[in-house]
């Protein structure tokens, strides 16, 4: 059974049922040691939101984007409901994976050679029929059939090109980066300071009004 990070992550907050279905499938059907991190944001020049990040200290790390469509591919372009998908699913997953790789490699030398795999899950699609474009590996596509028993599918996805033994220190660095602990200190004087600043602003406004009164010999109130 996989481990949700954090374990009490509220799945009800995920933006759609498809994401919840995929997260639950990975959590419940992967073997021990797999970390499942849903809804991961990356702030930067361009803010990104990754549907799911999975990692295992002996296997590696991957980004999985979730799409509720049952797509088709025509002339190499992904379509849903007769229109090109925007963004294109594999391109979105690829961009997010490389952005995550860059963020993690910057942590320190122990992650300087880290690779991040990527794939797309289609929980409403049963299987893939036909030949995929040469830029797409079959292992990068997860269908509802794959999610019934995802262990083999995830192992093939994550080892499709690189495969990596992360080790416990790298795993901890990944979790600390993506799910950090942050404390905010309560300041009992904060309200008093804000009140003083507000009073000073009000007093300044009153003084400016009175200065104008001094310049006028007749005032009507």
């Amino acid at each position: 059974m996989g481990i949700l990070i954090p374990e009490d992550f509220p799945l009800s907050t995920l933006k759609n049922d498809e994401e919840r279905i995929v997260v639950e499938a990975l959590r419940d059907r992967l073997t021990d040691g797999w970390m499942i991190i849903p809804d991961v944001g990356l702030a930067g020049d361009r803010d990104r939101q990754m549907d799911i990040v999975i990692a295992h200290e002996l296997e590696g790390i991957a980004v999985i984007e979730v799409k509720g469509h049952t797509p088709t591919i025509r002339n190499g372009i992904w379509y849903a409901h007769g229109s090109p998908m925007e963004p294109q699913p594999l391109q979105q997953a690829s961009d997010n994976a490389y952005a995550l790789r860059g963020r993690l490699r910057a942590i320190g030398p122990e992650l300087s050679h880290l690779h991040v795999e990527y794939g797309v899950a289609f929980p409403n699609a049963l299987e893939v029929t036909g030949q995929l474009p040469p830029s797409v590996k079959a292992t990068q596509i997860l269908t509802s059939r794959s999610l019934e028993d995802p262990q083999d599918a995830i192992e093939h996805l994550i080892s499709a090109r690189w495969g990596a033994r992360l080790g416990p220190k790298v795993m901890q660095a990944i979790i600390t980066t993506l799910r950090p602990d942050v404390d905010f200190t309560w300041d009992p004087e904060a309200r008093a300071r804000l009140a003083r600043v507000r009073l000073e602003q009000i007093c300044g406004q009153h003084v400016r009004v009175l200065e104008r009164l001094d310049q006028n010999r007749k005032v009507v109130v």
Side-chain angles (χ1 to χ4, degrees):
M1 186 171 183
I3 302 171
L4 201 60
I5 304 294
E7 292 187 52
D8 58 352
F9 181 89
L11 295 180
S12 60
T13 63
L14 295 176
K15 63 183 180 183
N16 56 55
D17 289 340
E18 285 78 17
E19 286 186 26
R20 178 181 53 78
I21 289 169
V22 175
V23 170
E24 289 177 342
L26 297 175
R27 179 197 63 188
D28 298 340
R29 298 166 192 162
L30 289 179
T31 55
D32 294 348
W34 282 99
M35 304 292 180
I36 298 98
I37 311 174
D39 197 24
V40 179
L42 283 183
D45 295 336
R46 175 186 172 187
D47 292 345
R48 298 179 180 277
Q49 200 70 24
M50 294 169 285
D51 292 338
I52 308 169
V53 176
I54 59 172
H56 191 290
E57 67 174 274
L58 301 180
E59 304 288 347
I61 180 171
V63 170
I64 299 177
E65 297 299 325
V66 180
K67 301 297 179 184
H69 310 291
T70 302
T72 57
I73 302 177
R74 296 292 180 264
N75 297 317
I77 304 297
W78 293 76
Y79 284 80
H81 308 299
S83 299
M85 297 177 69
E86 183 57 40
Q88 291 281 285
L90 261 295
Q91 188 60 54
Q92 180 185 11
S94 171
D95 290 346
N96 286 342
Y98 283 113
L100 177 61
R101 186 189 72 175
R103 182 66 59 89
L104 294 176
R105 284 186 176 186
I107 293 174
E110 68 274 12
L111 281 85
S112 60
H113 300 292
L114 180 73
H115 290 286
V116 179
E117 191 51 83
Y118 58 89
V120 181
F122 295 97
N124 292 329
L126 180 62
E127 60 185 5
V128 177
T129 304
Q131 185 173 347
L132 290 167
S135 60
V136 180
K137 294 182 179 294
T139 55
Q140 294 177 305
I141 308 300
L142 304 176
T143 63
S144 62
R145 182 165 289 171
S146 306
L147 294 170
E148 290 175 4
D149 186 10
Q151 185 65 41
D152 286 344
I154 292 298
E155 288 179 357
H156 285 123
L157 163 67
I158 213 161
S159 62
R161 289 178 291 183
W162 301 293
R165 186 184 182 94
L166 301 180
K169 289 185 178 180
V170 171
M171 284 290 290
Q172 186 58 54
I174 291 170
I175 294 170
T176 301
T177 300
L178 301 185
R179 287 287 190 258
D181 293 327
V182 180
D183 295 317
F184 291 84
T185 304
W186 179 64
D187 183 359
E189 298 297 324
R191 285 191 175 183
R193 283 198 303 272
L194 290 173
R196 283 196 296 271
V197 169
R198 182 58 181 153
L199 285 173
E200 289 173 0
Q201 291 173 343
I202 293 172
C203 289
Q205 292 170 358
H206 289 174
V207 169
R208 285 192 293 275
V209 171
L210 293 174
E211 288 174 346
R212 294 192 186 98
L213 293 179
D214 287 341
Q215 298 170 6
N216 293 275
R217 306 183 69 177
K218 292 183 179 181
V219 179
V220 177
V221 178

